[in-house]
Amino acid sequence: MSRRLPAVAVALVLAGATQAADVYRWTDAQGRVHYADRVDPGISAAERVAAPVEAAAVARLRVEPDADGAAAWVDNLLAGPIEVMLLAEGRGAVLSEPALPARASVPPHSGALLARIRGGNPRLSVIAVPGSPNARPRDVEYAWPLPSSPLRVQQAWGGAYSHGDAENRHAVDFAAPVGTPVVAARDGVVMQAESGFDEAAAGEDEATLLTRANFIRVLHDDGTMALYAHLQAGGVLVRVGQRVHRGQAIGRSGNTGLSSAPHLHFVVHANRGMRLESVPFRMFGPHGILRFGEPPEG
């Protein structure tokens, strides 16, 4: 069974990297703050900033010095919209337009100016959440995503093991042998995918495992997103940005990430304003409409 998958990626990341990266920060003779992944010759007072990097990075922070300070941009690395929040870490006063924290939605594969830093010497970071906060879920019948496998639910809505939080309240874990074909349950665009992780190695802790699940995230035309998770290594059969159709083969199930047995974790998400929430869905299974049960309130 599955635990919650990480919904956000910390900014100051390098897209496609799979381990921690070093970002350097320094102030030049004019008092302007610079960020870069390397230090130019002659710079002796650069501070090394540890930047957590995930294979499926969502956003990248870009700080560009200008005549009055610096402009903080956030680049969306996904093939779908994201919502971002720019924060200043530390206790020093920060002068910015607008005041921090600043929040915005960023279209696919584009950048947005979040703030202009006019004073102070802040360390900046970004939180990014997939999807648009304007998503309006429609009542749609989803297809059974494992047509070649018998129906066996390991954990349904509100499951006590790991489906108790808002992000997974309406998630379902379908038992399936590793390598079982996974098809799209609904038309959409592949906005994010990861296929480079192997099954968990002995001794890996929970925090590490949370970031090592292979998955596909498909954006629907009402702004919701379907997540197909714990796919096998190399188990993504589609490319980011590709439009897929209901019933089309998109991947192969597996047992990667924080998973106790081979299965497909399926959930429909909506961005509810800097947080992902699962939404209930109707699905037509091998013998008719599936009943997952309503989780208890609270």
Side-chain angles (χ1 to χ4, degrees):
M1 289 181 282
S2 64
R3 292 281 185 91
R4 181 171 63 88
L5 294 171
V8 302
V10 178
L12 285 177
V13 302
L14 306 177
T18 57
Q19 58 185 9
D22 287 328
V23 174
Y24 296 91
R25 173 177 174 270
W26 70 91
T27 303
D28 65 19
Q30 288 72 44
R32 295 177 298 187
V33 180
H34 298 259
Y35 292 86
D37 59 357
R38 60 180 58 87
V39 180
D40 295 333
I43 302 297
S44 59
E47 175 188 6
R48 180 179 293 177
V49 180
V53 177
E54 297 178 359
V58 172
R60 176 177 53 226
L61 175 63
R62 179 163 44 95
V63 180
E64 299 180 348
D66 60 27
D68 300 316
W73 294 76
V74 175
D75 297 323
N76 178 1
L77 305 179
L78 303 188
I82 63 174
E83 188 179 19
V84 299
M85 182 179 291
L86 176 69
L87 307 114
E89 301 176 0
R91 299 182 179 179
V94 178
L95 297 178
S96 71
E97 300 172 3
L100 301 184
R103 187 165 151 183
S105 293
V106 187
H109 293 312
S110 62
L113 176 63
L114 267 288
R116 295 188 180 276
I117 310 301
R118 300 307 190 195
N121 192 17
R123 178 180 296 175
L124 301 175
S125 64
V126 168
I127 298 172
V129 178
S132 166
N134 297 319
R136 297 293 182 267
R138 293 201 302 267
D139 183 15
V140 173
E141 183 182 278
Y142 287 77
W144 167 236
L146 299 165
S148 66
S149 177
L151 172 62
R152 186 160 71 88
V153 175
Q154 283 185 345
Q155 189 178 194
W157 292 354
Y161 180 72
S162 60
H163 292 179
D165 63 337
E167 192 172 329
N168 291 281
R169 188 179 182 86
H170 294 97
V172 183
D173 292 342
F174 297 109
V178 172
T180 301
V182 177
V183 305
R186 181 180 173 185
D187 292 2
V189 173
V190 179
M191 68 179 294
Q192 190 180 13
E194 175 60 58
S195 64
F197 294 120
D198 293 323
E199 290 190 25
E204 288 185 319
D205 60 29
E206 182 172 309
T208 299
L209 290 173
L210 277 171
T211 66
R212 295 181 62 83
N214 297 321
F215 67 94
I216 300 168
R217 194 186 304 274
V218 175
L219 174 67
H220 307 135
D221 59 9
D222 60 359
T224 62
M225 300 162 287
L227 182 70
Y228 306 77
H230 303 297
L231 306 178
Q232 72 175 156
V236 174
L237 307 180
V238 290
R239 66 183 184 278
V240 173
Q242 178 180 346
R243 183 153 190 92
V244 297
H245 302 283
R246 175 184 166 119
Q248 177 181 341
I250 60 173
R252 297 189 181 278
S253 66
N255 192 33
T256 56
L258 189 57
S259 173
S260 60
H263 72 285
L264 176 70
H265 176 89
F266 179 85
V267 61
V268 180
H269 284 139
N271 181 343
R272 298 304 194 189
M274 291 305 301
R275 70 185 189 281
L276 289 183
E277 288 189 5
S278 60
V279 296
F281 58 88
R282 291 188 299 112
M283 178 174 282
F284 194 86
H287 306 293
I289 294 295
L290 302 182
R291 307 292 180 186
F292 303 119
E294 284 291 340
E297 294 295 328

